[in-house]
Amino acid sequence: LSQLPEFQNIHIASHSVANRKRGEFSFIVFSKSDNDQPQILYANDIYQLKLNTDMVVLSSCESGVGEELKGEGFNSISRAFSYAGVKNIVHTLWKVDDKHTQKIMTSFYRNLKEGKQKSDALHLAKLDFIQTEAMIGAHPYYWSSFKLFGN
């Protein structure tokens, strides 16, 4: 966590869980530590960070949802990163499949490398995914969960 402010772009490919009752307790799960316990990062901990990061990609389940706050949106992992100072966030709205997510993210980063704007890069990655997948894989469930939030 102490090193996060040093980076302009952060990609987190992990497992996350939205807490729909108390959004600050939504969390990201990282690999297990030496004592075989998973390393967990709660949204509440992210809210405490001070970041000047251009983009965080949350390539994990339910990272853009959590506790619904009337008139404000969702108290989520994504919102926590925004509050911490991240300008652009790619998040998901439901559980996502690893295999399909990898294809979308690979295309997204390829589009960014080619100079596309973030929103265009994600849009084109979704279109590419739809065009290259078989009928069932092209279903919106597999690609439409990814949203870009930011400037």
Side-chain angles (χ1 to χ4, degrees):
L1 289 179
S2 65
Q3 294 176 353
L4 282 180
E6 298 175 24
F7 298 98
Q8 280 300 301
N9 295 294
I10 300 167
H11 182 98
I12 298 174
S14 189
H15 180 66
S16 60
V17 177
N19 187 319
R20 297 179 189 277
K21 301 275 188 210
R22 301 275 312 268
E24 66 272 19
F25 293 117
S26 296
F27 59 90
I28 301 170
V29 180
F30 294 97
S31 63
K32 294 181 179 181
S33 66
D34 293 337
N35 63 1
D36 207 33
Q37 294 298 312
Q39 300 293 306
I40 295 176
L41 178 61
Y42 288 95
N44 196 44
D45 297 325
I46 299 166
Y47 275 111
Q48 309 306 314
L49 298 174
K50 301 290 183 234
L51 303 173
N52 187 24
T53 303
D54 181 55
M55 182 173 65
V56 167
V57 176
L58 299 169
S59 183
S60 61
C61 298
E62 303 178 328
S63 53
V65 296
E67 174 188 10
E68 185 175 0
L69 304 172
K70 293 185 182 193
E72 294 185 38
F74 289 98
N75 184 4
S76 64
I77 296 166
S78 178
R79 181 185 179 119
F81 274 108
S82 178
Y83 186 86
V86 176
K87 296 169 190 71
N88 301 282
I89 303 162
V90 175
H91 62 226
T92 60
L93 300 178
W94 53 79
K95 293 182 180 184
V96 292
D97 173 75
D98 288 343
K99 180 179 75 166
H100 296 107
T101 296
Q102 179 185 7
K103 290 179 182 180
I104 292 169
M105 289 294 108
T106 299
S107 182
F108 173 64
Y109 283 110
R110 182 175 45 252
N111 293 332
L112 287 175
K113 188 175 182 180
E114 292 173 0
K116 305 281 192 295
Q117 296 293 320
K118 293 171 186 72
S119 59
D120 292 336
L122 184 59
H123 177 75
L124 291 170
K126 290 176 181 182
L127 289 176
D128 182 52
F129 180 81
I130 292 167
Q131 293 169 355
T132 59
E133 283 299 303
M135 186 63 90
I136 191 73
H139 189 280
Y141 174 81
Y142 296 107
W143 57 264
S144 65
S145 178
F146 295 91
K147 302 296 178 190
L148 173 66
F149 170 79
N151 61 13

